[in-house]
């Protein structure tokens, strides 16, 4: 950089300048610092590389590309690691309780390293459901120049398969539609290599939202993990940090209320994951932007679902990339007045400026529908209330499963109990599967219900059975599903007093979810309810259960 004075080194100068900081410089020399490096801004590069999941297996190489870009921008790159977990691997057993917890652990760890080490800026590379919003939460808390790089999506498996294909094959096997050899063949070929799960599941949803938010470079969310474009994206991200540092542009300058509205709008248009509700609320809270769960309803009334993407649709992210990614969709939304074009982004341009030269989709494509022929005329993300969820629930209603469901409750106090019943044929058409004590405090950890929803789909009951829970759903879940029911069972929400055979109605037009029960009967049952003993009393899950807030506010842990 042209100017290497302390204005570009607000944090690192306090760490390495002057006689008294000789011990710190001595330590840093041992990890490769030169005399010149001490005069450069220090850029922390948070890598979520791990061998635990294909989503992140390649990120070490991407971090090295980012570092090259940072160095070419005359700053000092410093790569450090944080953890990640795999929802796709952990789904369906007790370990999944650590999934949402990991969002907080990752955010805390990035904040801890950058805050302690005096980095002047931060570039974070994420590739899976929880580490991506975690990176943004850490950036917001630190509020120093920062940008995000998406690790990229996976390529399709054989016969157009992906991870959800495997989950649904388990249900198909239980129904007798496929044999064990067929299931094994799908298992062996659905995940061909590095990258995040291939549909518009949570990873691709959050990558798209973060780009619309302005916190990643244009195009970062719509690139395959193993591609020259992704490596170039990493190099350019390293270079882009220069402008942010020189102009002292911080996340709070970019992550504004209008920018969050842009992110929500794009998530709806793409038919994205319900997890976006949790994560965007948490990200907004971290940067002190007022955002409520009802904003999803307000925006959803005027934004249609336009993308025919899995899980409810037909296509994979890699196929959307082939026709131009999300940028042409954002340009269409902008032209309709549905995006705020004057929002600043990390490359120094406004959203409108970034979209100005973007070409529209090819005329013969079938992935992104025109406004006059939407997949759904308004949002698929429905914020429901009623006597079953007084402070809100989140439904994912694509329209294919209908918008109204009334059925009899089949109540389970854990995900495992429900899976035994579903795979054993005990759940039948007309049932409303109730899975409770899986909320943020009750689980603890708010497990995803991808295994039960996939088993229901695999058994051919997708349009005949509803599922409600105080847990949450994978971006790969589809069907008539309602999650994030609050108050959750563990704190005495009405979901705790549902009994087998109770009638439940879910109305996605009126945005209501109700028990066919008088207020007096609900109160009578609640007065007799006794809170169960916590599942865990020590360790990270216990700490999480004690500090986590309601899912209706993003399930955050640092607001007391």
């Amino acid at each position: 950089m042209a100017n290497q004075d302390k204005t570009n080194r607000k944090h690192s100068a306090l760490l390495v300048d002057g006689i008294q900081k000789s011990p710190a410089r001595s330590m840093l020399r041992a990890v490769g610092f030169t005399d010149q490096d001490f005069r450069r801004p220090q850029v922390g590069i948070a890598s979520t590389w791990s061998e635990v999941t294909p989503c992140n297996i390649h990120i070490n190489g991407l971090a090295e590309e980012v570092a090259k870009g940072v160095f070419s921008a005359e700053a000092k790159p410093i790569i450090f690691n944080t953890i990640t977990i795999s929802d796709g691997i952990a789904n369906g057993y007790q370990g999944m309780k650590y999934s949402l917890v990991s969002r907080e652990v990752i955010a805390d760890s990035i904040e801890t390293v950058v805050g302690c080490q005096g980095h002047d800026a931060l570039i974070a590379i994420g590739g899976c459901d929880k580490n991506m919003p975690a990176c943004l939460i850490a950036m917001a808390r630190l509020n120093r120049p920062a940008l995000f790089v998406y690790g990229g999506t996976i390529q399709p498996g054989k016969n157009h398969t992906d991870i959800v294909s495997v989950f649904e094959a388990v249900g198909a096997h239980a129904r007798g539609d496929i044999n064990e050899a067929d299931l094994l063949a799908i298992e062996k070929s659905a995940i061909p290599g590095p990258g995040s799960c291939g549909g518009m599941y949570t990873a691709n949803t959050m990558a798209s939202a973060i780009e619309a938010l302005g916190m990643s470079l244009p195009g970062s969310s719509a690139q395959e993990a193993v591609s020259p474009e992704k490596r170039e994206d990493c190099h350019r991200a390293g270079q882009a940090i220069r402008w942010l540092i020189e102009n002292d542009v911080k996340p709070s300058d970019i992550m504004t209320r209008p920018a969050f509205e842009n992110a929500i709008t794009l998530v709806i248009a793409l038919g994205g994951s319900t997890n976006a509700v949790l994560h965007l609320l948490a990200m907004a809270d971290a940067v002190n932007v007022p955002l409520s769960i009802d904003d999803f309803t307000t925006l959803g009334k005027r934004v249609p679902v336009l993308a025919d993407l899995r899980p409810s649709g037909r296509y994979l992210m890699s196929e959307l990339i082939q026709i131009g990614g999300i940028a042409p969709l954002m340009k269409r939304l902008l032209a309709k007045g549905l995006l705020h074009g004057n929002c600043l982004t990390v490359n120094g341009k406004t959203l409108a400026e970034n979209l100005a030269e973007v070409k529209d989709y090819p005329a013969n494509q079938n992935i992104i529908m025109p406004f006059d022929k939407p997949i759904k005329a308004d949002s698929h993300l429905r914020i429901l209330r009623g006597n079953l969820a007084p402070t809100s629930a989140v439904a994912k209603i694509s329209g294919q499963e209908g918008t109204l469901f009334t059925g009899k409750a089949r109540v389970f106090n854990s995900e495992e109990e429900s899976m035994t019943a579903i795979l054993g044929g005990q759940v039948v058409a007309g049932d409303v599967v109730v899975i409770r004590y899986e909320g943020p405090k009750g689980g603890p950890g708010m497990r995803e219900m991808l295994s039960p929803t996939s088993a229901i789909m695999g058994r051919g009951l997708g349009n005949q059975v509803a599922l409600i829970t105080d847990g949450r759903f994978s971006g790969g879940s589809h069907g008539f599903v309602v999650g994030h029911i609050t108050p959750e069972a563990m704190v005495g929400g009405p979901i705790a007093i549902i009994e087998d055979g109770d009638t439940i109605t879910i109305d996605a037009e009126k945005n209501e979810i109700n028990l066919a029960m008088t207020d007096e009967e609900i109160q009578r049952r609640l007065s007799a309810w006794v809170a169960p003993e916590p599942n865990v009393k020590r360790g990270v899950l216990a700490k999480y259960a004690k500090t986590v807030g309601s899912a209706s506010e993003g399930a955050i842990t640092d607001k007391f």
Side-chain angles (χ1 to χ4, degrees), residues 59-99:
I59 284 179
N60 248 4
L62 299 186
E64 291 171 358
E65 286 298 322
V66 171
K68 292 175 184 176
V70 169
F71 192 78
S72 71
E74 299 182 36
K76 175 61 178 175
I78 305 163
I79 299 173
F80 65 92
N81 276 87
T82 183
I83 66 157
T84 194
I85 55 86
S86 172
D87 293 351
I89 296 172
N91 251 296
Y93 96 116
Q94 293 290 310
M96 187 64 186
K97 292 181 177 181
Y98 289 90
S99 172

Side-chain angles (χ1 to χ4, degrees), residues 41-52:
Q42 294 183 26
V43 179
I45 301 172
S47 167
T48 58
W49 171 84
S50 174
E51 290 185 343
V52 305

Side-chain angles (χ1 to χ4, degrees), residues 17-75:
D17 286 7
I19 294 296
Q20 293 183 4
K21 297 303 179 182
S22 183
R25 293 194 299 274
S26 182
M27 294 281 285
L28 289 169
R29 290 181 191 279
V31 299
F33 271 63
T34 66
D35 287 344
Q36 189 175 10
D37 288 335
F38 293 121
R39 297 190 293 272
R40 291 174 169 150
Q42 294 183 26
V43 179
I45 301 172
S47 167
T48 58
W49 171 84
S50 174
E51 290 185 343
V52 305
T53 170
C55 307
N56 295 66
I57 188 67
H58 62 303
I59 284 179
N60 248 4
L62 299 186
E64 291 171 358
E65 286 298 322
V66 171
K68 292 175 184 176
V70 169
F71 192 78
S72 71
E74 299 182 36

